[in-house]
Amino acid sequence: MEETRAARHALSYLFCRALLASLALLPRSLGRAIGRACGLLFYRISSRHRKIALGNLELAFGEAAPSRERARLARASFAHAGMIMADAAYFRRAASLPLDRVAVFEGQEHLLEAAAAGRGVLVFSGHYGHWELVALLQARIGVPFSMVVRPLQNRRLNDFLTRLRGITGNEVVAKYDAARVVLRALRRGRAVALLIDQNVRGEGGLFVDFFGVPASTTPSLATFALKCGAPMVPVFSYPRPDGRLLIRYGPPLVAARCGAIADDILAITRQCTALLEAEIRRHPEFWLWMHNRWRTRPPATPGLSTGRDGSARGALARSLP
């Protein structure tokens, strides 16, 4: 089995490198169109991911979005995800082009002022818009990232992606070893990127409402903010008709101690999740609906183990001074 896995990983790596190299020979607009077509093809052939996306949309919008509208949003989401993956072929080109040919920034003063305070800055978002290009370009406005990511099982592909993400000066941090590295980065005044919209399995998540349904959510953003006093700056992005990316930074949120630490962590996590939800509601087609966001259920749900899905609030509280 180990040999089979190694061979499969090697073939996947070679296929991805060849695909990106081929796309890079094409105009970016054409490569992105091919990516969207591949995303739509994946919608057709992957019944599992299609069912997850449609189920998530029904859970989130209910009767407010008829089945035909939910299917349209799911297809648009898959197409958007395909475009993002294909666009990786042009990251090196985007890193060298004049910045105003690639993106339009709004609210970047919020980021720059937060970074200038010297306590580090936590930049948060979700798998929404073009999150990879946002990270690539932020270093070019003078605030490079320490990016917390989940490593791929395919080591060679993961190493390639890590090098690609770092071409503008970003540092990639594996989420399993992140705590100490992130704290050091914040204390050095760096920006740290966190995506807060993925399901957290095991005992590490806090259940907060997301589209009115409890979702197991990472408490890391709130924990780091309380630990270091770093401001939290939201960022979202939207593709423009002219091919550029609109990147919008919001006003910083400051974590304050108001009561018991565990309650403060929960309140901050709720606030940031609500802000993300509001943005997704504006443009649901730009979010990754194929992710099984509500997979982990609260411990009160019959048939599930409290040990697997229980809250980590006590452990988080003990980790803070």
Side-chain angles (χ1 to χ4, degrees):
M1 288 185 64
E2 192 63 34
E3 291 179 356
T4 301
R5 184 182 299 109
R8 188 171 65 248
H9 284 181
L11 288 173
S12 298
Y13 169 75
L14 292 172
F15 173 78
C16 289
R17 290 298 305 268
L19 178 61
L20 292 179
S22 300
L23 288 173
L25 299 174
L26 303 174
R28 188 181 180 212
S29 58
L30 178 57
R32 286 154 60 111
I34 291 172
R36 283 190 285 269
C38 290
L40 289 172
L41 177 62
F42 186 64
Y43 174 83
R44 291 292 183 188
I45 65 177
S46 178
S47 61
R48 183 173 75 88
H49 289 91
R50 184 173 65 249
K51 288 175 182 177
I52 290 172
L54 292 172
N56 284 344
L57 283 158
E58 183 175 11
L59 193 66
F61 294 108
E63 297 298 323
S67 59
R68 181 175 295 181
E69 174 65 7
R70 295 196 298 268
R72 184 192 71 80
L73 289 173
R75 289 192 299 271
S77 174
F78 276 69
H80 182 72
M83 181 275 292
I84 289 174
M85 288 187 283
D87 207 32
Y90 306 96
F91 277 6
R92 295 188 184 279
R93 191 181 308 175
S96 60
L97 286 172
L99 196 54
D100 61 3
R101 287 182 56 186
V102 184
V104 176
F105 288 88
E106 290 184 3
Q108 74 183 82
E109 68 276 6
H110 297 308
L111 172 68
L112 297 176
E113 289 170 7
R119 307 192 73 175
V121 55
L122 291 154
V123 182
F124 72 94
S125 190
H127 291 81
Y128 177 85
H130 201 333
W131 63 90
E132 291 283 0
L133 191 56
V134 170
L136 188 80
L137 297 179
Q138 182 172 302
R140 296 190 59 189
I141 61 174
V143 189
F145 269 134
S146 293
M147 303 168 58
V148 179
V149 302
R150 176 181 292 175
L152 301 176
Q153 291 184 348
N154 188 327
R155 183 183 57 80
R156 295 178 69 185
L157 194 56
N158 185 72
D159 290 346
F160 168 71
L161 185 57
T162 297
R163 291 194 299 272
L164 196 59
R165 284 168 164 163
I167 58 177
T168 56
N170 290 328
E171 172 190 26
V172 177
V173 180
K175 66 175 292 185
Y176 307 114
D177 307 314
R180 291 182 181 179
V181 178
V182 167
L183 290 173
R184 284 199 301 268
L186 291 173
R187 286 165 180 160
R188 297 199 320 265
R190 285 182 65 90
V192 171
L194 291 171
L195 301 180
I196 63 169
D197 62 339
Q198 287 195 306
N199 178 66
V200 177
R201 301 177 66 178
E203 297 183 356
L206 294 179
F207 285 97
V208 301
D209 279 358
F210 188 56
F211 286 88
V213 182
S216 183
T217 305
T218 177
S220 300
L221 176 64
T223 304
F224 290 134
L226 287 169
K227 186 90 172 177
C228 296
M232 301 168 288
V233 175
V235 61
F236 301 102
S237 61
Y238 322 86
R240 287 167 48 107
D242 62 5
R244 294 184 296 173
L245 187 68
L246 172 60
I247 300 174
R248 180 178 294 143
Y249 293 92
L253 310 174
V254 179
R257 296 281 184 87
C258 300
I261 293 171
D263 292 333
D264 291 342
I265 291 171
L266 183 59
I268 295 166
T269 304
R270 282 174 173 160
Q271 180 185 17
C272 295
T273 300
L275 194 154
L276 173 62
E277 178 188 324
E279 203 64 41
I280 294 171
R281 285 184 179 276
R282 292 188 186 98
H283 296 285
E285 66 274 20
F286 297 149
W287 192 56
L288 196 68
W289 290 98
M290 70 181 78
H291 171 60
N292 200 350
R293 181 64 184 94
W294 289 276
R295 177 178 180 179
T296 299
R297 304 311 311 133
T301 303
L304 291 185
S305 164
T306 57
R308 173 181 171 183
D309 298 323
S311 167
R313 293 171 65 191
L316 285 168
R318 291 191 295 274
S319 74
L320 294 170

